[in-house]
Every structure is written in C-alpha cells, then in structure tokens.
Amino acid sequence: MSSTFETVANIIAETCDIPRDTIKPESHAIDDLGIDSLDFLDIAFAIDKAFGIKLPLEQWTQEVNDGKATTEQYFVLNNLCARIDGLVAAKGA
Amino acid sequence: MRIEYFQLIDRITALNLADHTIKTEALVPTTSTIFEGHFPGYPLMPGVLLIESMAQTAGWLIVAERRFESMPFLASLKEVKLRTFVTPGSQLSLSANLVHDGSGFAVTKAEGRFEDKIICDATITFRIMPFPNAQFRTSMQQVAERLAFPMEAIGNG
C-alpha cells in the first residue's frame, strides 16, 4: 500500500502540479485536492500505465451516480490505492 | 472535406483493429469562405482544422474499437505540432493509433501528411460516452457509410 500511495501521489503531483507534501493518504482527490474530471483522465492514464491495470472509471461513476457508492470510496487516496492493489492482485491471480 | 459541416474526413482508407490503427484521406477544398478570411490574398488551412482532422481520424478509430456503441468526444491535446502551411487543394493523408484504451477515455496519437511529409501531429485524448440518443448514433452510421467505413473490419475484429 505504501509504495502504491507513493506512486499515485507522485503521479498526482506531476500531473496536476500539486505540491507533493500536500497529498496525503486521507486526501479526497476531488474535494481536497481540487482535481477535476479532465485532470483525472490524465491521472487514470498514468495509473493504468504504471500498474498495468485499467481503472474501472465508468463503473465507479455509474455506481456513484446511482447512489450505490460514495465518491469517498473511490477518490480518497487510501481507498483508491487499496482498489489499485486489488486490481493488480486480480491481474496476477 | 465538408468544412461547412465540420466533417473533415473524406474517406477511411484502412482500419486495422488488431493493430489499433486507422488511415484516412481529406482533400482541402480549393474554395471556401474560410479562406477569404484566413487569409485575404494568402489562403491557408487553419491549424485548428488540421487538429480537428486528426481528431476525427482518431475518433473514427475509437468508434470502430467500440463497435458504434459509444462516442468519443475531444477532451485534451498534447504535443501538438503544426509543421508547415497547408494550402487549398492539398490532398491530406491522416493516420492514428490507439495508445491507451481506458475506462471511459482513450489516448491516441495522430498525424497528417501531405506528399509523404508530416505536416501535423498530436497526442489526443477523448472522453468516451454512450451515444446521447439513437438519432446521433444513426447519423454517425450514415456518415460512416459515406466515408466507406469498412464494417467488415469491426465484424471480424
């Protein structure tokens, strides 16, 4: 998890020009860091490449829009990193 | 090239879903009101239309990849280069390849050539969304037919 967070935080810092030290595991990508949907496409692209996965953004967005999930479940960074770890593990299974 | 309808591609000349590549052709018209203003006495194809030509080429690749189930919308451009002037009457060859097929987005690289010389290139990102209505999807299929979109390529892909 810690290395996943480091990778994701560095991607966010570089992609969105956000000071690295302001990016915390408990940060909400949208509410705390102010990342908009367009910037998040760049972040998703970089995460997909870095981890060899495909973040299921369409599914997540649908679940949030349908009220089946909250944005915190996907966009608080420690939650996001846990989901990345899960996708990486599933890929290797 | 139907500039007045913002339909800049004339024909899809190759589509390969195994390689995730597409090639198109576009003839810059010899006359257009656009050239009366851009520029008087020195007509040039506007750079934004060259970019749009690349985006439409890459966009058709994504339409093919998604089998007409969803529509790409231009989201961002990176590393755009407009390398030389393009004048009325130029026959352009465009191509694109898929760099990354994400969830709800795609990243492509595209380029345009005139007489085998690269005139423009860019990295283009699209948001991909369901067609907002059936009429839109149908109209895209009609345009595809006009462009000689190789339907067999997506049937066998």
Side-chain angles (χ1 to χ4, degrees), chain A residues 37-38 41-42 44-45 48-49 53-59, chain B residues 75-76 78 99-105 107 125 127-128:
Chain A
S37 63
L38 184 56
L41 293 188
D42 286 336
F45 177 35
D48 284 1
K49 276 200 306 183
I53 58 173
K54 185 171 175 174
L55 287 181
L57 296 180
E58 288 173 297
Q59 176 193 330
Chain B
S76 74
K78 289 187 175 68
V99 174
H100 182 68
D101 184 19
S103 173
F105 73 100
V107 182
T125 299
R127 289 181 203 275
I128 303 175

mmCIF file with all atom_site columns, all heavy atoms in Angstrom, chain A residues 37-38 41-42 44-45 48-49 53-59, chain B residues 75-76 78 99-105 107 125 127-128:
data_model
loop_
_atom_site.group_PDB
_atom_site.id
_atom_site.type_symbol
_atom_site.label_atom_id
_atom_site.label_alt_id
_atom_site.label_comp_id
_atom_site.label_asym_id
_atom_site.label_entity_id
_atom_site.label_seq_id
_atom_site.pdbx_PDB_ins_code
_atom_site.Cartn_x
_atom_site.Cartn_y
_atom_site.Cartn_z
_atom_site.occupancy
_atom_site.B_iso_or_equiv
_atom_site.pdbx_formal_charge
_atom_site.auth_seq_id
_atom_site.auth_comp_id
_atom_site.auth_asym_id
_atom_site.auth_atom_id
_atom_site.pdbx_PDB_model_num
ATOM 1   N N   . SER A 1 37  ? -12.411 16.425 -13.500 1.00 0.00 ? 37  SER A N   1
ATOM 2   C CA  . SER A 1 37  ? -12.565 15.162 -14.234 1.00 0.00 ? 37  SER A CA  1
ATOM 3   C C   . SER A 1 37  ? -11.576 15.048 -15.384 1.00 0.00 ? 37  SER A C   1
ATOM 4   O O   . SER A 1 37  ? -11.108 13.951 -15.711 1.00 0.00 ? 37  SER A O   1
ATOM 5   C CB  . SER A 1 37  ? -14.001 15.015 -14.743 1.00 0.00 ? 37  SER A CB  1
ATOM 6   O OG  . SER A 1 37  ? -14.300 16.051 -15.658 1.00 0.00 ? 37  SER A OG  1
ATOM 7   N N   . LEU A 1 38  ? -11.245 16.169 -16.007 1.00 0.00 ? 38  LEU A N   1
ATOM 8   C CA  . LEU A 1 38  ? -10.295 16.121 -17.132 1.00 0.00 ? 38  LEU A CA  1
ATOM 9   C C   . LEU A 1 38  ? -8.896  15.760 -16.634 1.00 0.00 ? 38  LEU A C   1
ATOM 10  O O   . LEU A 1 38  ? -8.216  14.913 -17.219 1.00 0.00 ? 38  LEU A O   1
ATOM 11  C CB  . LEU A 1 38  ? -10.282 17.461 -17.867 1.00 0.00 ? 38  LEU A CB  1
ATOM 12  C CG  . LEU A 1 38  ? -9.402  17.523 -19.112 1.00 0.00 ? 38  LEU A CG  1
ATOM 13  C CD1 . LEU A 1 38  ? -9.773  16.438 -20.106 1.00 0.00 ? 38  LEU A CD1 1
ATOM 14  C CD2 . LEU A 1 38  ? -9.509  18.893 -19.764 1.00 0.00 ? 38  LEU A CD2 1
ATOM 15  N N   . LEU A 1 41  ? -8.525  12.147 -15.926 1.00 0.00 ? 41  LEU A N   1
ATOM 16  C CA  . LEU A 1 41  ? -8.250  11.264 -17.073 1.00 0.00 ? 41  LEU A CA  1
ATOM 17  C C   . LEU A 1 41  ? -6.748  11.061 -17.235 1.00 0.00 ? 41  LEU A C   1
ATOM 18  O O   . LEU A 1 41  ? -6.280  9.946  -17.484 1.00 0.00 ? 41  LEU A O   1
ATOM 19  C CB  . LEU A 1 41  ? -8.838  11.845 -18.366 1.00 0.00 ? 41  LEU A CB  1
ATOM 20  C CG  . LEU A 1 41  ? -10.344 11.923 -18.500 1.00 0.00 ? 41  LEU A CG  1
ATOM 21  C CD1 . LEU A 1 41  ? -10.715 12.346 -19.919 1.00 0.00 ? 41  LEU A CD1 1
ATOM 22  C CD2 . LEU A 1 41  ? -10.995 10.593 -18.160 1.00 0.00 ? 41  LEU A CD2 1
ATOM 23  N N   . ASP A 1 42  ? -5.991  12.156 -17.084 1.00 0.00 ? 42  ASP A N   1
ATOM 24  C CA  . ASP A 1 42  ? -4.534  12.040 -17.185 1.00 0.00 ? 42  ASP A CA  1
ATOM 25  C C   . ASP A 1 42  ? -3.979  11.182 -16.056 1.00 0.00 ? 42  ASP A C   1
ATOM 26  O O   . ASP A 1 42  ? -3.048  10.395 -16.254 1.00 0.00 ? 42  ASP A O   1
ATOM 27  C CB  . ASP A 1 42  ? -3.889  13.432 -17.145 1.00 0.00 ? 42  ASP A CB  1
ATOM 28  C CG  . ASP A 1 42  ? -4.084  14.202 -18.441 1.00 0.00 ? 42  ASP A CG  1
ATOM 29  O OD1 . ASP A 1 42  ? -4.294  13.570 -19.486 1.00 0.00 ? 42  ASP A OD1 1
ATOM 30  O OD2 . ASP A 1 42  ? -4.026  15.448 -18.401 1.00 0.00 ? 42  ASP A OD2 1
ATOM 31  N N   . ALA A 1 44  ? -5.632  8.823  -14.418 1.00 0.00 ? 44  ALA A N   1
ATOM 32  C CA  . ALA A 1 44  ? -6.028  7.432  -14.674 1.00 0.00 ? 44  ALA A CA  1
ATOM 33  C C   . ALA A 1 44  ? -5.120  6.798  -15.723 1.00 0.00 ? 44  ALA A C   1
ATOM 34  O O   . ALA A 1 44  ? -4.720  5.632  -15.598 1.00 0.00 ? 44  ALA A O   1
ATOM 35  C CB  . ALA A 1 44  ? -7.487  7.382  -15.122 1.00 0.00 ? 44  ALA A CB  1
ATOM 36  N N   . PHE A 1 45  ? -4.802  7.562  -16.765 1.00 0.00 ? 45  PHE A N   1
ATOM 37  C CA  . PHE A 1 45  ? -3.902  7.066  -17.810 1.00 0.00 ? 45  PHE A CA  1
ATOM 38  C C   . PHE A 1 45  ? -2.552  6.687  -17.196 1.00 0.00 ? 45  PHE A C   1
ATOM 39  O O   . PHE A 1 45  ? -2.013  5.597  -17.442 1.00 0.00 ? 45  PHE A O   1
ATOM 40  C CB  . PHE A 1 45  ? -3.736  8.133  -18.892 1.00 0.00 ? 45  PHE A CB  1
ATOM 41  C CG  . PHE A 1 45  ? -2.776  7.792  -19.995 1.00 0.00 ? 45  PHE A CG  1
ATOM 42  C CD1 . PHE A 1 45  ? -2.634  6.495  -20.467 1.00 0.00 ? 45  PHE A CD1 1
ATOM 43  C CD2 . PHE A 1 45  ? -2.014  8.790  -20.589 1.00 0.00 ? 45  PHE A CD2 1
ATOM 44  C CE1 . PHE A 1 45  ? -1.751  6.194  -21.495 1.00 0.00 ? 45  PHE A CE1 1
ATOM 45  C CE2 . PHE A 1 45  ? -1.128  8.499  -21.614 1.00 0.00 ? 45  PHE A CE2 1
ATOM 46  C CZ  . PHE A 1 45  ? -0.989  7.200  -22.061 1.00 0.00 ? 45  PHE A CZ  1
ATOM 47  N N   . ASP A 1 48  ? -2.969  3.612  -14.919 1.00 0.00 ? 48  ASP A N   1
ATOM 48  C CA  . ASP A 1 48  ? -3.122  2.404  -15.750 1.00 0.00 ? 48  ASP A CA  1
ATOM 49  C C   . ASP A 1 48  ? -1.764  1.934  -16.262 1.00 0.00 ? 48  ASP A C   1
ATOM 50  O O   . ASP A 1 48  ? -1.436  0.742  -16.232 1.00 0.00 ? 48  ASP A O   1
ATOM 51  C CB  . ASP A 1 48  ? -4.047  2.689  -16.943 1.00 0.00 ? 48  ASP A CB  1
ATOM 52  C CG  . ASP A 1 48  ? -5.526  2.751  -16.566 1.00 0.00 ? 48  ASP A CG  1
ATOM 53  O OD1 . ASP A 1 48  ? -5.837  2.584  -15.373 1.00 0.00 ? 48  ASP A OD1 1
ATOM 54  O OD2 . ASP A 1 48  ? -6.353  2.989  -17.464 1.00 0.00 ? 48  ASP A OD2 1
ATOM 55  N N   . LYS A 1 49  ? -0.973  2.898  -16.750 1.00 0.00 ? 49  LYS A N   1
ATOM 56  C CA  . LYS A 1 49  ? 0.346   2.549  -17.291 1.00 0.00 ? 49  LYS A CA  1
ATOM 57  C C   . LYS A 1 49  ? 1.288   2.056  -16.202 1.00 0.00 ? 49  LYS A C   1
ATOM 58  O O   . LYS A 1 49  ? 1.999   1.068  -16.378 1.00 0.00 ? 49  LYS A O   1
ATOM 59  C CB  . LYS A 1 49  ? 0.980   3.787  -17.961 1.00 0.00 ? 49  LYS A CB  1
ATOM 60  C CG  . LYS A 1 49  ? 0.544   4.013  -19.389 1.00 0.00 ? 49  LYS A CG  1
ATOM 61  C CD  . LYS A 1 49  ? 1.515   4.912  -20.143 1.00 0.00 ? 49  LYS A CD  1
ATOM 62  C CE  . LYS A 1 49  ? 1.768   6.225  -19.428 1.00 0.00 ? 49  LYS A CE  1
ATOM 63  N NZ  . LYS A 1 49  ? 2.653   7.124  -20.196 1.00 0.00 ? 49  LYS A NZ  1
ATOM 64  N N   . ILE A 1 53  ? -2.904  -1.874 -15.245 1.00 0.00 ? 53  ILE A N   1
ATOM 65  C CA  . ILE A 1 53  ? -4.312  -2.190 -14.968 1.00 0.00 ? 53  ILE A CA  1
ATOM 66  C C   . ILE A 1 53  ? -5.206  -1.250 -15.774 1.00 0.00 ? 53  ILE A C   1
ATOM 67  O O   . ILE A 1 53  ? -4.716  -0.407 -16.527 1.00 0.00 ? 53  ILE A O   1
ATOM 68  C CB  . ILE A 1 53  ? -4.640  -2.039 -13.462 1.00 0.00 ? 53  ILE A CB  1
ATOM 69  C CG1 . ILE A 1 53  ? -4.336  -0.606 -13.001 1.00 0.00 ? 53  ILE A CG1 1
ATOM 70  C CG2 . ILE A 1 53  ? -3.855  -3.063 -12.641 1.00 0.00 ? 53  ILE A CG2 1
ATOM 71  C CD1 . ILE A 1 53  ? -4.769  -0.299 -11.585 1.00 0.00 ? 53  ILE A CD1 1
ATOM 72  N N   . LYS A 1 54  ? -6.505  -1.398 -15.586 1.00 0.00 ? 54  LYS A N   1
ATOM 73  C CA  . LYS A 1 54  ? -7.476  -0.484 -16.194 1.00 0.00 ? 54  LYS A CA  1
ATOM 74  C C   . LYS A 1 54  ? -8.457  -0.087 -15.102 1.00 0.00 ? 54  LYS A C   1
ATOM 75  O O   . LYS A 1 54  ? -9.345  -0.876 -14.739 1.00 0.00 ? 54  LYS A O   1
ATOM 76  C CB  . LYS A 1 54  ? -8.185  -1.181 -17.351 1.00 0.00 ? 54  LYS A CB  1
ATOM 77  C CG  . LYS A 1 54  ? -9.141  -0.297 -18.137 1.00 0.00 ? 54  LYS A CG  1
ATOM 78  C CD  . LYS A 1 54  ? -9.589  -1.054 -19.387 1.00 0.00 ? 54  LYS A CD  1
ATOM 79  C CE  . LYS A 1 54  ? -10.636 -0.303 -20.171 1.00 0.00 ? 54  LYS A CE  1
ATOM 80  N NZ  . LYS A 1 54  ? -10.956 -0.980 -21.449 1.00 0.00 ? 54  LYS A NZ  1
ATOM 81  N N   . LEU A 1 55  ? -8.261  1.098  -14.553 1.00 0.00 ? 55  LEU A N   1
ATOM 82  C CA  . LEU A 1 55  ? -9.191  1.569  -13.517 1.00 0.00 ? 55  LEU A CA  1
ATOM 83  C C   . LEU A 1 55  ? -10.599 1.593  -14.087 1.00 0.00 ? 55  LEU A C   1
ATOM 84  O O   . LEU A 1 55  ? -10.823 2.217  -15.134 1.00 0.00 ? 55  LEU A O   1
ATOM 85  C CB  . LEU A 1 55  ? -8.818  2.985  -13.061 1.00 0.00 ? 55  LEU A CB  1
ATOM 86  C CG  . LEU A 1 55  ? -7.583  3.182  -12.197 1.00 0.00 ? 55  LEU A CG  1
ATOM 87  C CD1 . LEU A 1 55  ? -7.426  4.670  -11.859 1.00 0.00 ? 55  LEU A CD1 1
ATOM 88  C CD2 . LEU A 1 55  ? -7.657  2.368  -10.922 1.00 0.00 ? 55  LEU A CD2 1
ATOM 89  N N   . PRO A 1 56  ? -11.556 0.968  -13.427 1.00 0.00 ? 56  PRO A N   1
ATOM 90  C CA  . PRO A 1 56  ? -12.922 0.918  -13.983 1.00 0.00 ? 56  PRO A CA  1
ATOM 91  C C   . PRO A 1 56  ? -13.713 2.189  -13.705 1.00 0.00 ? 56  PRO A C   1
ATOM 92  O O   . PRO A 1 56  ? -14.709 2.188  -12.973 1.00 0.00 ? 56  PRO A O   1
ATOM 93  C CB  . PRO A 1 56  ? -13.522 -0.301 -13.272 1.00 0.00 ? 56  PRO A CB  1
ATOM 94  C CG  . PRO A 1 56  ? -12.819 -0.348 -11.962 1.00 0.00 ? 56  PRO A CG  1
ATOM 95  C CD  . PRO A 1 56  ? -11.421 0.167  -12.195 1.00 0.00 ? 56  PRO A CD  1
ATOM 96  N N   . LEU A 1 57  ? -13.257 3.283  -14.304 1.00 0.00 ? 57  LEU A N   1
ATOM 97  C CA  . LEU A 1 57  ? -13.862 4.581  -14.004 1.00 0.00 ? 57  LEU A CA  1
ATOM 98  C C   . LEU A 1 57  ? -15.336 4.652  -14.388 1.00 0.00 ? 57  LEU A C   1
ATOM 99  O O   . LEU A 1 57  ? -16.142 5.280  -13.697 1.00 0.00 ? 57  LEU A O   1
ATOM 100 C CB  . LEU A 1 57  ? -13.099 5.695  -14.725 1.00 0.00 ? 57  LEU A CB  1
ATOM 101 C CG  . LEU A 1 57  ? -11.648 5.923  -14.317 1.00 0.00 ? 57  LEU A CG  1
ATOM 102 C CD1 . LEU A 1 57  ? -11.052 7.061  -15.131 1.00 0.00 ? 57  LEU A CD1 1
ATOM 103 C CD2 . LEU A 1 57  ? -11.553 6.220  -12.831 1.00 0.00 ? 57  LEU A CD2 1
ATOM 104 N N   . GLU A 1 58  ? -15.667 4.011  -15.508 1.00 0.00 ? 58  GLU A N   1
ATOM 105 C CA  . GLU A 1 58  ? -17.075 4.052  -15.934 1.00 0.00 ? 58  GLU A CA  1
ATOM 106 C C   . GLU A 1 58  ? -17.970 3.373  -14.892 1.00 0.00 ? 58  GLU A C   1
ATOM 107 O O   . GLU A 1 58  ? -19.045 3.885  -14.550 1.00 0.00 ? 58  GLU A O   1
ATOM 108 C CB  . GLU A 1 58  ? -17.229 3.367  -17.293 1.00 0.00 ? 58  GLU A CB  1
ATOM 109 C CG  . GLU A 1 58  ? -16.643 4.160  -18.444 1.00 0.00 ? 58  GLU A CG  1
ATOM 110 C CD  . GLU A 1 58  ? -16.671 3.365  -19.749 1.00 0.00 ? 58  GLU A CD  1
ATOM 111 O OE1 . GLU A 1 58  ? -16.015 2.316  -19.825 1.00 0.00 ? 58  GLU A OE1 1
ATOM 112 O OE2 . GLU A 1 58  ? -17.343 3.807  -20.683 1.00 0.00 ? 58  GLU A OE2 1
ATOM 113 N N   . GLN A 1 59  ? -17.524 2.245  -14.400 1.00 0.00 ? 59  GLN A N   1
ATOM 114 C CA  . GLN A 1 59  ? -18.309 1.518  -13.400 1.00 0.00 ? 59  GLN A CA  1
ATOM 115 C C   . GLN A 1 59  ? -18.414 2.325  -12.111 1.00 0.00 ? 59  GLN A C   1
ATOM 116 O O   . GLN A 1 59  ? -19.498 2.439  -11.530 1.00 0.00 ? 59  GLN A O   1
ATOM 117 C CB  . GLN A 1 59  ? -17.634 0.180  -13.120 1.00 0.00 ? 59  GLN A CB  1
ATOM 118 C CG  . GLN A 1 59  ? -18.308 -0.639 -12.027 1.00 0.00 ? 59  GLN A CG  1
ATOM 119 C CD  . GLN A 1 59  ? -17.423 -1.801 -11.573 1.00 0.00 ? 59  GLN A CD  1
ATOM 120 O OE1 . GLN A 1 59  ? -16.638 -2.332 -12.363 1.00 0.00 ? 59  GLN A OE1 1
ATOM 121 N NE2 . GLN A 1 59  ? -17.540 -2.165 -10.323 1.00 0.00 ? 59  GLN A NE2 1
ATOM 122 N N   . ALA B 2 75  ? -11.185 15.657 -25.668 1.00 0.00 ? 75  ALA B N   1
ATOM 123 C CA  . ALA B 2 75  ? -11.011 16.098 -24.278 1.00 0.00 ? 75  ALA B CA  1
ATOM 124 C C   . ALA B 2 75  ? -9.725  16.897 -24.088 1.00 0.00 ? 75  ALA B C   1
ATOM 125 O O   . ALA B 2 75  ? -9.740  17.928 -23.414 1.00 0.00 ? 75  ALA B O   1
ATOM 126 C CB  . ALA B 2 75  ? -11.021 14.887 -23.340 1.00 0.00 ? 75  ALA B CB  1
ATOM 127 N N   . SER B 2 76  ? -8.623  16.423 -24.657 1.00 0.00 ? 76  SER B N   1
ATOM 128 C CA  . SER B 2 76  ? -7.394  17.197 -24.480 1.00 0.00 ? 76  SER B CA  1
ATOM 129 C C   . SER B 2 76  ? -6.398  16.879 -25.590 1.00 0.00 ? 76  SER B C   1
ATOM 130 O O   . SER B 2 76  ? -6.459  15.837 -26.240 1.00 0.00 ? 76  SER B O   1
ATOM 131 C CB  . SER B 2 76  ? -6.768  16.917 -23.109 1.00 0.00 ? 76  SER B CB  1
ATOM 132 O OG  . SER B 2 76  ? -6.167  15.649 -23.074 1.00 0.00 ? 76  SER B OG  1
ATOM 133 N N   . LYS B 2 78  ? -2.144  17.145 -26.541 1.00 0.00 ? 78  LYS B N   1
ATOM 134 C CA  . LYS B 2 78  ? -0.786  17.348 -26.045 1.00 0.00 ? 78  LYS B CA  1
ATOM 135 C C   . LYS B 2 78  ? 0.180   17.230 -27.227 1.00 0.00 ? 78  LYS B C   1
ATOM 136 O O   . LYS B 2 78  ? -0.083  16.512 -28.191 1.00 0.00 ? 78  LYS B O   1
ATOM 137 C CB  . LYS B 2 78  ? -0.430  16.290 -25.001 1.00 0.00 ? 78  LYS B CB  1
ATOM 138 C CG  . LYS B 2 78  ? -1.158  16.462 -23.681 1.00 0.00 ? 78  LYS B CG  1
ATOM 139 C CD  . LYS B 2 78  ? -0.626  15.487 -22.635 1.00 0.00 ? 78  LYS B CD  1
ATOM 140 C CE  . LYS B 2 78  ? -1.250  15.738 -21.275 1.00 0.00 ? 78  LYS B CE  1
ATOM 141 N NZ  . LYS B 2 78  ? -2.675  15.418 -21.257 1.00 0.00 ? 78  LYS B NZ  1
ATOM 142 N N   . VAL B 2 99  ? -3.161  4.573  -28.262 1.00 0.00 ? 99  VAL B N   1
ATOM 143 C CA  . VAL B 2 99  ? -2.067  4.457  -27.287 1.00 0.00 ? 99  VAL B CA  1
ATOM 144 C C   . VAL B 2 99  ? -2.554  3.761  -26.024 1.00 0.00 ? 99  VAL B C   1
ATOM 145 O O   . VAL B 2 99  ? -1.855  2.928  -25.457 1.00 0.00 ? 99  VAL B O   1
ATOM 146 C CB  . VAL B 2 99  ? -1.510  5.857  -26.940 1.00 0.00 ? 99  VAL B CB  1
ATOM 147 C CG1 . VAL B 2 99  ? -0.475  5.775  -25.825 1.00 0.00 ? 99  VAL B CG1 1
ATOM 148 C CG2 . VAL B 2 99  ? -0.925  6.509  -28.183 1.00 0.00 ? 99  VAL B CG2 1
ATOM 149 N N   . HIS B 2 100 ? -3.758  4.107  -25.610 1.00 0.00 ? 100 HIS B N   1
ATOM 150 C CA  . HIS B 2 100 ? -4.299  3.503  -24.384 1.00 0.00 ? 100 HIS B CA  1
ATOM 151 C C   . HIS B 2 100 ? -5.823  3.493  -24.445 1.00 0.00 ? 100 HIS B C   1
ATOM 152 O O   . HIS B 2 100 ? -6.438  4.519  -24.715 1.00 0.00 ? 100 HIS B O   1
ATOM 153 C CB  . HIS B 2 100 ? -3.831  4.286  -23.162 1.00 0.00 ? 100 HIS B CB  1
ATOM 154 C CG  . HIS B 2 100 ? -4.300  3.692  -21.868 1.00 0.00 ? 100 HIS B CG  1
ATOM 155 N ND1 . HIS B 2 100 ? -3.849  2.478  -21.406 1.00 0.00 ? 100 HIS B ND1 1
ATOM 156 C CD2 . HIS B 2 100 ? -5.201  4.119  -20.958 1.00 0.00 ? 100 HIS B CD2 1
ATOM 157 C CE1 . HIS B 2 100 ? -4.430  2.191  -20.257 1.00 0.00 ? 100 HIS B CE1 1
ATOM 158 N NE2 . HIS B 2 100 ? -5.268  3.173  -19.959 1.00 0.00 ? 100 HIS B NE2 1
ATOM 159 N N   . ASP B 2 101 ? -6.382  2.333  -24.174 1.00 0.00 ? 101 ASP B N   1
ATOM 160 C CA  . ASP B 2 101 ? -7.838  2.183  -24.137 1.00 0.00 ? 101 ASP B CA  1
ATOM 161 C C   . ASP B 2 101 ? -8.263  2.141  -22.673 1.00 0.00 ? 101 ASP B C   1
ATOM 162 O O   . ASP B 2 101 ? -8.229  1.091  -22.032 1.00 0.00 ? 101 ASP B O   1
ATOM 163 C CB  . ASP B 2 101 ? -8.233  0.891  -24.859 1.00 0.00 ? 101 ASP B CB  1
ATOM 164 C CG  . ASP B 2 101 ? -9.735  0.725  -24.939 1.00 0.00 ? 101 ASP B CG  1
ATOM 165 O OD1 . ASP B 2 101 ? -10.456 1.730  -24.781 1.00 0.00 ? 101 ASP B OD1 1
ATOM 166 O OD2 . ASP B 2 101 ? -10.192 -0.415 -25.145 1.00 0.00 ? 101 ASP B OD2 1
ATOM 167 N N   . GLY B 2 102 ? -8.626  3.291  -22.130 1.00 0.00 ? 102 GLY B N   1
ATOM 168 C CA  . GLY B 2 102 ? -9.008  3.360  -20.728 1.00 0.00 ? 102 GLY B CA  1
ATOM 169 C C   . GLY B 2 102 ? -10.496 3.139  -20.535 1.00 0.00 ? 102 GLY B C   1
ATOM 170 O O   . GLY B 2 102 ? -11.241 2.876  -21.480 1.00 0.00 ? 102 GLY B O   1
ATOM 171 N N   . SER B 2 103 ? -10.919 3.233  -19.289 1.00 0.00 ? 103 SER B N   1
ATOM 172 C CA  . SER B 2 103 ? -12.342 3.100  -18.976 1.00 0.00 ? 103 SER B CA  1
ATOM 173 C C   . SER B 2 103 ? -12.989 4.471  -19.078 1.00 0.00 ? 103 SER B C   1
ATOM 174 O O   . SER B 2 103 ? -12.773 5.341  -18.235 1.00 0.00 ? 103 SER B O   1
ATOM 175 C CB  . SER B 2 103 ? -12.497 2.545  -17.558 1.00 0.00 ? 103 SER B CB  1
ATOM 176 O OG  . SER B 2 103 ? -13.851 2.552  -17.174 1.00 0.00 ? 103 SER B OG  1
ATOM 177 N N   . GLY B 2 104 ? -13.740 4.671  -20.159 1.00 0.00 ? 104 GLY B N   1
ATOM 178 C CA  . GLY B 2 104 ? -14.382 5.967  -20.368 1.00 0.00 ? 104 GLY B CA  1
ATOM 179 C C   . GLY B 2 104 ? -13.489 7.004  -21.010 1.00 0.00 ? 104 GLY B C   1
ATOM 180 O O   . GLY B 2 104 ? -13.875 8.163  -21.144 1.00 0.00 ? 104 GLY B O   1
ATOM 181 N N   . PHE B 2 105 ? -12.307 6.595  -21.410 1.00 0.00 ? 105 PHE B N   1
ATOM 182 C CA  . PHE B 2 105 ? -11.420 7.514  -22.129 1.00 0.00 ? 105 PHE B CA  1
ATOM 183 C C   . PHE B 2 105 ? -10.447 6.716  -22.984 1.00 0.00 ? 105 PHE B C   1
ATOM 184 O O   . PHE B 2 105 ? -10.275 5.503  -22.787 1.00 0.00 ? 105 PHE B O   1
ATOM 185 C CB  . PHE B 2 105 ? -10.660 8.436  -21.162 1.00 0.00 ? 105 PHE B CB  1
ATOM 186 C CG  . PHE B 2 105 ? -9.559  7.751  -20.394 1.00 0.00 ? 105 PHE B CG  1
ATOM 187 C CD1 . PHE B 2 105 ? -8.231  7.872  -20.788 1.00 0.00 ? 105 PHE B CD1 1
ATOM 188 C CD2 . PHE B 2 105 ? -9.847  6.981  -19.275 1.00 0.00 ? 105 PHE B CD2 1
ATOM 189 C CE1 . PHE B 2 105 ? -7.211  7.236  -20.084 1.00 0.00 ? 105 PHE B CE1 1
ATOM 190 C CE2 . PHE B 2 105 ? -8.837  6.343  -18.569 1.00 0.00 ? 105 PHE B CE2 1
ATOM 191 C CZ  . PHE B 2 105 ? -7.518  6.470  -18.963 1.00 0.00 ? 105 PHE B CZ  1
ATOM 192 N N   . VAL B 2 107 ? -6.557  7.350  -25.238 1.00 0.00 ? 107 VAL B N   1
ATOM 193 C CA  . VAL B 2 107 ? -5.448  8.215  -25.644 1.00 0.00 ? 107 VAL B CA  1
ATOM 194 C C   . VAL B 2 107 ? -4.953  7.725  -27.002 1.00 0.00 ? 107 VAL B C   1
ATOM 195 O O   . VAL B 2 107 ? -4.735  6.516  -27.187 1.00 0.00 ? 107 VAL B O   1
ATOM 196 C CB  . VAL B 2 107 ? -4.304  8.178  -24.613 1.00 0.00 ? 107 VAL B CB  1
ATOM 197 C CG1 . VAL B 2 107 ? -3.176  9.120  -25.032 1.00 0.00 ? 107 VAL B CG1 1
ATOM 198 C CG2 . VAL B 2 107 ? -4.828  8.543  -23.225 1.00 0.00 ? 107 VAL B CG2 1
ATOM 199 N N   . THR B 2 125 ? -6.547  12.979 -26.479 1.00 0.00 ? 125 THR B N   1
ATOM 200 C CA  . THR B 2 125 ? -7.327  12.201 -25.516 1.00 0.00 ? 125 THR B CA  1
ATOM 201 C C   . THR B 2 125 ? -8.813  12.484 -25.716 1.00 0.00 ? 125 THR B C   1
ATOM 202 O O   . THR B 2 125 ? -9.212  13.630 -25.935 1.00 0.00 ? 125 THR B O   1
ATOM 203 C CB  . THR B 2 125 ? -6.929  12.558 -24.071 1.00 0.00 ? 125 THR B CB  1
ATOM 204 O OG1 . THR B 2 125 ? -5.547  12.258 -23.881 1.00 0.00 ? 125 THR B OG1 1
ATOM 205 C CG2 . THR B 2 125 ? -7.759  11.773 -23.056 1.00 0.00 ? 125 THR B CG2 1
ATOM 206 N N   . ARG B 2 127 ? -12.839 11.658 -24.198 1.00 0.00 ? 127 ARG B N   1
ATOM 207 C CA  . ARG B 2 127 ? -13.796 11.028 -23.304 1.00 0.00 ? 127 ARG B CA  1
ATOM 208 C C   . ARG B 2 127 ? -14.671 10.130 -24.171 1.00 0.00 ? 127 ARG B C   1
ATOM 209 O O   . ARG B 2 127 ? -15.015 10.505 -25.296 1.00 0.00 ? 127 ARG B O   1
ATOM 210 C CB  . ARG B 2 127 ? -14.731 12.063 -22.661 1.00 0.00 ? 127 ARG B CB  1
ATOM 211 C CG  . ARG B 2 127 ? -14.123 12.948 -21.650 1.00 0.00 ? 127 ARG B CG  1
ATOM 212 C CD  . ARG B 2 127 ? -15.226 13.864 -21.118 1.00 0.00 ? 127 ARG B CD  1
ATOM 213 N NE  . ARG B 2 127 ? -14.672 15.078 -20.558 1.00 0.00 ? 127 ARG B NE  1
ATOM 214 C CZ  . ARG B 2 127 ? -14.236 15.176 -19.312 1.00 0.00 ? 127 ARG B CZ  1
ATOM 215 N NH1 . ARG B 2 127 ? -14.306 14.133 -18.515 1.00 0.00 ? 127 ARG B NH1 1
ATOM 216 N NH2 . ARG B 2 127 ? -13.738 16.303 -18.863 1.00 0.00 ? 127 ARG B NH2 1
ATOM 217 N N   . ILE B 2 128 ? -15.058 8.992  -23.648 1.00 0.00 ? 128 ILE B N   1
ATOM 218 C CA  . ILE B 2 128 ? -15.921 8.094  -24.409 1.00 0.00 ? 128 ILE B CA  1
ATOM 219 C C   . ILE B 2 128 ? -17.203 7.893  -23.631 1.00 0.00 ? 128 ILE B C   1
ATOM 220 O O   . ILE B 2 128 ? -17.176 7.497  -22.457 1.00 0.00 ? 128 ILE B O   1
ATOM 221 C CB  . ILE B 2 128 ? -15.221 6.747  -24.667 1.00 0.00 ? 128 ILE B CB  1
ATOM 222 C CG1 . ILE B 2 128 ? -13.898 7.000  -25.412 1.00 0.00 ? 128 ILE B CG1 1
ATOM 223 C CG2 . ILE B 2 128 ? -16.127 5.823  -25.465 1.00 0.00 ? 128 ILE B CG2 1
ATOM 224 C CD1 . ILE B 2 128 ? -13.061 5.765  -25.607 1.00 0.00 ? 128 ILE B CD1 1
#
